[in-house]
Amino acid sequence: MKLDDAAANLEALGNPTRLKIYRALVRAGDAGLAVGRLQDKLKIAPSTLSHHIKTLVVVGLVNQVRDSTTLMCHANYEVMRGLVDFLAAECCADAVEDNDSKAA
């Protein structure tokens, strides 16, 4: 994942409402949740919910699929894993340097 993409994903998840939406979709698993069900579950006004879902869709964290008259939302696990991997990729990479400098 590129730095700019990671920053956009983190910015989208930095809003408490969007984070609630995303967590609900992650908990729902591959089945996802209908927009109406998300609205009922999270008690978010329809226009507000649409705005926040759109932001998550734009950065790729959420996919939407229309099933007849129902709009289903799904967490994009590939993007989520990419973000987590990006954040953890260099975990402790400089720890050896810190230990070397203490020994000097």
Side-chain angles (χ1 to χ4, degrees), residues 16-18 20-21 35-53:
T17 301
R18 287 192 289 269
K20 285 180 192 176
I21 293 166
V35 171
R37 178 71 181 113
L38 266 173
Q39 181 186 353
D40 292 342
K41 184 178 181 102
L42 300 176
K43 308 294 186 229
I44 300 171
S47 61
T48 302
L49 181 61
S50 294
H51 165 76
H52 288 298
I53 290 173

Side-chain angles (χ1 to χ4, degrees), residues 24-34 37-38 63 72-75 77:
L25 292 173
V26 168
R27 282 193 305 271
D30 290 332
L33 286 172
R37 178 71 181 113
L38 266 173
N63 296 320
M72 297 294 295
C73 295
H74 305 271
Y77 295 107

Side-chain angles (χ1 to χ4, degrees), residues 28-30 32 52 71 74 78 80 89 95 102:
D30 290 332
H52 288 298
L71 189 58
H74 305 271
E78 185 177 331
M80 180 183 75
K102 288 179 186 177

Side-chain angles (χ1 to χ4, degrees), residues 4 8 11 22 27 37 39 46 52 57 61 69 76 79 95 100:
D4 290 344
E11 182 179 0
Y22 193 70
R27 282 193 305 271
R37 178 71 181 113
Q39 181 186 353
H52 288 298
V57 168
L61 287 165
T69 60
N76 184 336
V79 172
D100 289 343

